[in-house]
Amino acid sequence: MECSFLSSKSVPMSEIAQIERTYSCQFSSFRPLVYAKSVPHPQFYSYRVISPKASYSSSPNNTYVPKKALSSVDQEKLGAGNLLYQINGTNSSLFSRDMRILDAFDDEYGGVIVDSERLPANPNVFASMLRFSMSHWKAKEKKGIWLKLPVEKSDLVPVAVKEGFEYHHAEKGYIMLTYWLPEGPSMLPANASHQVGVGGFAINDKNEVLVVQEKYCAPAFSGLWKIPTGFIVESEEIFTGAVREVKEETGIDTEFLEVVAFRHVHNVAFEKSDLFFICMLKPLSTRIMVDDHEIQAAKWMPLVEFVEQPLIQEDCMFKKVIDICIARLGKHYCGLSVHQLASRFDGKISSLYYNVVDSQDINCIGK
């Protein structure tokens, strides 16, 4: 009788003790030693191996010895790829699926990120590989596991949840799940806690404010003329988002001047917090072209009429924002202008918002 082991991937020998508790089959056990003995039934064996790349031959007393000496690297590794077992000339892929590790790479905090592009399609195969991988990473003293499952493999989500993974966040094309391996509370960062909105306060040389009426709004705000507002999109700057929103809603080109104020409120959409930045903008064009998908009407409105709207006068938040914008126009208030600076901490260019004041007359050195 001859038994051969072949492998394409490997795991440390120290983990095999965990593997034998997880995987069982027609072999009674699978242990990291160097011999195998037969038991009364000829189909059942207790295998004890030293390496995946070793060939064993039988001796008269049913003890198996290696044909070829192994390198130190071979002795350290056990196959975790497509393992093939050859017993009496017959191949068996009994452990080939169970003993593969999911493709992943380390993150900078001692965790692992599973390669979402190389996940198995079969949920049963995924379940076995996930359990084996978790044991492997725990033995390696890894911390967090990040598992990104694309929409086309959403049938793997229940498998991961059953193994203890938790939802972290979801986007249009995927769901992100996490698992914390060490004992104690998870130290993985939580999902994003805020959404960010912008409003553009643009006033022309005639002292007219660019305002809009939205098609879809709460009944309480029906008839209100307001400044153009909206959310910034992923990887968009606050100042470019304000300029974009004004252009999309009214067709007016503008130049960002300053952030004059921002509001912070909690438990808004989806129980998230909200940051809203009011930006002072300089108009660069005059012709209005309304976005009829979300805007009912837009116009240049005299500042006095804008301020005297009942909804503005009755709301302390709206009124305060307008007071700040008027003070900025008179240079009695300084907003925050944007400055592009590089940081050695992350090696990236960042936008830092701060004001620049002439100390002699306390006027803003803005545009």
Side-chain angles (χ1 to χ4, degrees):
M1 174 180 176
E2 183 173 276
C3 176
S4 300
F5 292 75
L6 304 173
S7 174
S8 60
K9 284 189 178 180
S10 58
V11 294
M13 291 289 291
S14 58
E15 297 175 33
I16 302 304
Q18 296 185 21
I19 298 169
E20 67 173 346
R21 291 193 296 270
T22 306
Y23 302 97
S24 60
C25 57
Q26 70 182 62
F27 300 105
S28 60
S29 64
F30 193 82
R31 302 174 184 275
L33 297 177
V34 296
Y35 64 91
K37 293 183 177 180
S38 61
V39 291
H41 197 289
Q43 295 180 351
F44 290 79
Y45 295 89
S46 174
Y47 275 77
R48 300 177 179 240
V49 302
I50 193 172
S51 167
K53 296 183 179 180
S55 180
Y56 296 81
S57 297
S58 60
S59 61
N61 59 1
N62 286 332
T63 300
Y64 293 83
V65 294
K67 286 184 177 180
K68 182 180 178 180
L70 303 172
S71 68
S72 59
V73 174
D74 290 333
Q75 294 180 36
E76 173 63 21
K77 296 178 179 180
L78 174 70
N82 294 322
L83 295 180
L84 299 177
Y85 297 80
Q86 193 174 70
I87 304 175
N88 290 333
T90 302
N91 289 332
S92 172
S93 58
L94 189 60
F95 290 119
S96 62
R97 293 182 176 180
D98 289 349
M99 295 185 65
R100 282 185 295 169
I101 298 172
L102 291 169
D103 290 294
F105 51 92
D106 294 340
D107 65 21
E108 57 184 314
Y109 303 104
V112 293
I113 302 172
V114 178
D115 188 344
S116 60
E117 296 182 356
R118 303 185 67 180
L119 292 168
N122 186 296
N124 293 328
V125 174
F126 173 70
S128 298
M129 292 178 67
L130 182 61
R131 287 192 293 268
F132 182 74
S133 299
M134 291 170 69
S135 296
H136 169 71
W137 292 326
K138 188 167 186 177
K140 287 288 188 180
E141 297 185 346
K142 297 297 181 181
K143 295 180 172 60
I145 304 174
W146 295 89
L147 178 61
K148 180 180 178 180
L149 297 179
V151 170
E152 58 269 21
K153 293 185 177 178
S154 58
D155 53 345
L156 303 183
V157 174
V159 177
V161 171
K162 186 177 180 180
E163 294 301 323
F165 277 76
E166 297 178 345
Y167 295 126
H168 187 269
H169 69 273
E171 294 291 346
K172 186 176 181 180
Y174 72 87
I175 183 171
M176 181 70 76
L177 299 100
T178 61
Y179 188 93
W180 184 249
L181 287 166
E183 298 293 333
S186 172
M187 300 300 291
L188 293 174
N191 182 26
S193 60
H194 286 68
Q195 61 182 12
V196 181
V198 290
F201 187 89
I203 189 164
N204 62 18
D205 295 336
K206 299 177 183 179
N207 219 29
E208 296 173 326
V209 183
L210 181 62
V211 294
V212 299
Q213 283 186 339
E214 295 184 338
K215 270 190 174 182
Y216 312 103
C217 63
F221 299 114
S222 179
L224 172 68
W225 290 97
K226 57 183 282 294
I227 63 175
T229 61
F231 293 107
I232 65 171
V233 297
E234 187 175 357
S235 301
E236 185 177 40
E237 298 282 357
I238 292 170
F239 68 94
T240 56
V243 170
R244 176 189 53 77
E245 281 292 341
V246 170
K247 176 69 173 179
E248 289 179 355
E249 294 188 1
T250 68
I252 298 296
D253 295 310
T254 59
E255 177 186 358
F256 172 84
L257 299 178
E258 296 173 348
V259 170
V260 293
F262 68 89
R263 181 207 64 178
H264 192 200
V265 65
H266 306 289
N267 296 318
V268 189
F270 309 107
E271 301 181 356
K272 299 296 183 181
S273 299
D274 182 274
L275 283 168
F276 182 75
F277 293 84
I278 299 96
C279 302
M280 182 73 71
L281 305 177
K282 177 182 177 180
L284 300 178
S285 62
T286 59
R287 184 186 174 194
I288 292 175
M289 292 180 289
V290 174
D291 173 18
D292 56 8
H293 292 290
E294 55 180 328
I295 301 300
Q296 183 68 39
K299 67 178 182 178
W300 292 101
M301 187 178 196
L303 179 59
V304 175
E305 292 182 22
F306 177 64
V307 174
E308 288 178 350
Q309 292 183 96
L311 285 173
I312 298 292
Q313 291 296 318
E314 295 168 4
D315 189 283
C316 60
M317 178 74 73
F318 278 161
K319 191 173 185 303
K320 187 62 178 178
V321 168
I322 301 305
D323 289 344
I324 291 171
C325 291
I326 293 173
R328 174 63 187 90
L329 292 172
K331 293 192 174 182
H332 303 302
Y333 175 89
C334 297
L336 307 176
S337 55
V338 63
H339 304 267
Q340 301 289 320
L341 299 171
S343 173
R344 294 182 62 183
F345 286 100
D346 56 16
K348 297 180 179 180
I349 299 294
S350 300
S351 296
L352 186 64
Y353 293 80
Y354 60 90
N355 57 27
V356 180
V357 179
D358 186 335
S359 59
Q360 294 183 355
D361 57 12
I362 317 299
N363 283 334
C364 301
I365 308 177
K367 297 181 181 180

